[in-house]
Amino acid sequence: MAVLLQAYPKLNRELLMKTGYMSAEYVFYYKKNGENQLLQSTTTDSSTSKTAILKLTDPCAQWHPEKNGLYANITCIINVPSFLFGKNGLVAADGGKIGIAIMWMAPDSSERGVFAIDEISKTSAAPHAINGTVKFPAKVLRGTLVLRTIVYLKEHGNPDEMEKHQASEPGTVLGIMDETRIIIDGNGSVFPIHETAAPTNPIWWGQ
């Protein structure tokens, strides 16, 4: 059986550093009576330089993904997006466009998807700020949520002879800029535990 290998430039650490990319920062919240209720996100000791691992908690102790769903507002910055274009980049400088998206996975619930949030071209202003909001309906998330900020080919443009080696199929994933893992439950359980003086009750109980 023949194997087709597609050789085209992908985003690597060196190119990412040239762009001056500032990793995604998230603000998480849910809706209650039509109002946004902020969740606290805490970086865990398991975080690395490549992957941030966050634990979510609700100061009001009322959020649960089975009932409320989850919203995530993302902000990140590409200081010099022009490095992603041209013969040493990922896409043709003339008319090429790169899409920015959030690729998400929830392994414990066997769910995944992609949210397109922005696009850039050779002529995009520098620095380029990326802002977007993604919504996860109730009953979709469980266990751990993985969020990856990715770049993909949106428009091929008009490549010259020095750019013919670049990806040409719209939708092709060109690389991952960063990754964030969110603990939805388990060690990151949002249910609070309170010490209460109630000698007639069991050692622990739920309300």
Side-chain angles (χ1 to χ4, degrees), residues 143-195:
T144 301
L145 171 64
V146 181
L147 299 173
R148 290 175 177 164
T149 311
I150 66 167
V151 289
Y152 66 94
L153 179 61
K154 184 160 188 178
E155 293 186 18
H156 187 212
N158 305 297
D160 61 24
E161 288 301 319
M162 300 297 291
E163 299 167 336
K164 294 290 188 181
H165 63 295
Q166 296 172 336
S168 59
E169 187 68 26
T172 300
V173 176
L174 302 174
I176 300 172
M177 293 196 287
D178 60 36
E179 178 178 288
T180 302
R181 292 176 180 263
I182 298 97
I183 300 172
I184 300 298
D185 53 28
N187 291 334
S189 175
V190 297
F191 295 107
I193 298 175
H194 300 287
E195 184 176 345

Side-chain angles (χ1 to χ4, degrees), residues 1-22:
M1 181 178 65
V3 177
L4 178 62
L5 298 178
Q6 292 183 320
Y8 52 83
K10 293 185 178 180
L11 184 67
N12 56 33
R13 183 171 180 80
E14 181 182 359
L15 182 56
L16 187 63
M17 291 181 67
K18 284 182 178 179
T19 68
Y21 177 70
M22 299 177 67

Side-chain angles (χ1 to χ4, degrees), residues 3-182:
V3 177
L4 178 62
L5 298 178
Q6 292 183 320
Y8 52 83
K10 293 185 178 180
L11 184 67
N12 56 33
R13 183 171 180 80
E14 181 182 359
L15 182 56
L16 187 63
M17 291 181 67
K18 284 182 178 179
T19 68
Y21 177 70
M22 299 177 67
S23 296
E25 295 185 358
Y26 287 93
V27 174
F28 299 96
Y29 61 96
Y30 65 99
K31 296 281 188 178
K32 180 183 177 183
N33 299 325
E35 296 186 359
N36 296 344
Q37 302 293 322
L38 291 177
L39 296 170
Q40 293 180 346
S41 59
T42 305
T43 303
T44 70
D45 294 337
S46 301
S47 297
T48 67
S49 59
K50 294 183 178 180
T51 303
I53 301 178
L54 307 177
K55 181 176 69 174
L56 297 184
T57 54
D58 179 14
C60 298
Q62 296 183 358
W63 174 71
H64 195 283
E66 286 290 317
K67 298 178 180 179
N68 309 109
L70 178 68
Y71 292 79
N73 182 265
I74 176 177
T75 301
C76 54
I77 296 174
I78 304 177
N79 280 293
V80 193
S82 60
F83 277 114
L84 298 174
F85 300 86
K87 65 179 182 179
N88 296 320
L90 306 175
V91 177
D94 181 13
K97 289 185 179 181
I98 291 176
I100 314 293
I102 301 299
M103 179 182 290
W104 65 275
M105 295 170 288
D108 294 327
S109 56
S110 300
E111 298 279 358
R112 64 177 58 204
V114 178
F115 295 101
I117 58 173
D118 205 348
E119 64 179 51
I120 54 176
S121 67
K122 174 72 172 181
T123 59
S124 293
H128 181 83
I130 299 166
N131 295 281
T133 300
V134 297
K135 175 185 177 181
F136 302 96
K139 301 182 180 180
V140 169
L141 303 180
R142 183 172 67 251
T144 301
L145 171 64
V146 181
L147 299 173
R148 290 175 177 164
T149 311
I150 66 167
V151 289
Y152 66 94
L153 179 61
K154 184 160 188 178
E155 293 186 18
H156 187 212
N158 305 297
D160 61 24
E161 288 301 319
M162 300 297 291
E163 299 167 336
K164 294 290 188 181
H165 63 295
Q166 296 172 336
S168 59
E169 187 68 26
T172 300
V173 176
L174 302 174
I176 300 172
M177 293 196 287
D178 60 36
E179 178 178 288
T180 302
R181 292 176 180 263
I182 298 97

